[in-house]
Amino acid sequence: MVRVPFVYNKTYSTPRRPFEKERLDQELKLIGQFGLRNKHEVWRVRYTLAKIRKAARDLLTLEERDPKRLFEGNALLRRLVRIGVLEENKMKLDYVLGLKVEDFLQRRLQTQVFNVGLAKSIHHARVLIRQRHIRVRKQVVNIPSFIVRLDSQKHIEFSLQSPFGGGRAGKFLKF
């Protein structure tokens, strides 16, 4: 029997200075505003943003007509527009460098459920998602950090099995 080693990829990076007051206050504000569970969720988004910005910086160092810059830059821009982080009229690599953590946190399913009005608060949205009451198109999603694409945004609704979406009545409504 051949053992295949597991490949673990980093999902977040911890800050270099653990007790920097401005950063701690900013992270706490983000956690409260977007209903996150802990700092790891902020760091994870910050890490993905850093990787995207690094790719954009590397592409910007290449010449304007370089085939690698044209191909990979266009792919990066299309991906960011599809998830709704970048607007259609700002499809340039310069605008990628101006993206903020809030832009990505705004596209999470938890935030979208609250913005659509299916939940009373951002924390209630997280509970509804974890308890499998929410679906995106026909798929029940129970991951609060699920990134909602721009075309899927209109299809966020209660799942068919959920008591909120016309399913079987819950434990207390039966009596």
Side-chain angles (χ1 to χ4, degrees):
M1 186 84 175
V2 178
R3 288 183 53 122
V4 179
F6 287 104
V7 178
Y8 295 107
N9 293 331
K10 282 174 61 169
T11 57
Y12 69 91
S13 64
T14 56
R16 285 197 182 118
R17 295 185 177 150
F19 303 111
E20 197 174 25
K21 177 129 179 69
E22 297 84 41
R23 183 190 50 77
L24 288 170
D25 293 340
Q26 182 188 16
E27 286 174 351
L28 202 59
K29 185 178 175 219
L30 285 175
I31 287 173
Q33 182 182 355
F34 292 101
L36 306 178
R37 188 178 57 164
N38 51 28
K39 302 269 177 98
H40 289 240
E41 294 190 342
V42 176
W43 296 340
R44 184 173 59 211
V45 174
R46 194 169 281 159
Y47 185 66
T48 56
L49 177 62
K51 286 197 293 190
I52 289 170
R53 291 186 61 198
K54 183 179 184 337
R57 271 198 316 272
D58 292 344
L59 291 172
L60 280 169
T61 60
L62 301 173
E63 289 183 28
E64 191 79 33
R65 293 278 156 231
D66 191 341
K68 180 180 179 182
R69 177 175 171 167
L70 292 173
F71 183 74
E72 290 185 14
N74 203 10
L76 178 68
L77 292 171
R78 269 199 331 264
R79 192 167 68 232
L80 292 175
V81 167
R82 192 172 70 215
I83 65 172
V85 175
L86 205 61
E87 296 172 20
E88 286 273 354
N89 56 359
K90 294 185 175 180
M91 281 191 68
K92 287 193 180 253
L93 287 173
D94 299 328
Y95 291 112
V96 174
L97 299 178
L99 290 176
K100 295 191 285 291
V101 175
E102 290 87 352
D103 299 331
F104 282 89
L105 290 174
Q106 203 63 247
R107 300 306 305 164
R108 287 167 48 102
L109 180 62
Q110 180 179 357
T111 313
Q112 293 297 319
V113 166
F114 175 60
N115 290 344
V116 167
L118 297 176
K120 296 174 187 165
S121 71
I122 195 88
H123 305 290
H124 185 225
R126 188 179 187 99
V127 170
L128 287 176
I129 293 166
R130 284 301 300 161
Q131 293 176 354
R132 303 176 58 87
H133 290 296
I134 303 294
R135 68 179 175 148
V136 179
R137 295 187 185 253
K138 292 182 176 153
Q139 183 72 43
V140 174
V141 182
N142 67 341
I143 310 293
S145 63
F146 177 81
I147 299 294
V148 180
R149 289 185 180 169
L150 216 51
D151 56 342
S152 300
Q153 188 171 351
K154 296 181 279 300
H155 303 287
I156 298 174
E157 50 205 14
F158 287 116
S159 72
L160 298 174
Q161 289 84 22
S162 166
F164 300 114
R168 217 175 87 223
K171 181 172 153 184
F172 294 106
L173 292 177
K174 286 180 190 172
F175 297 112

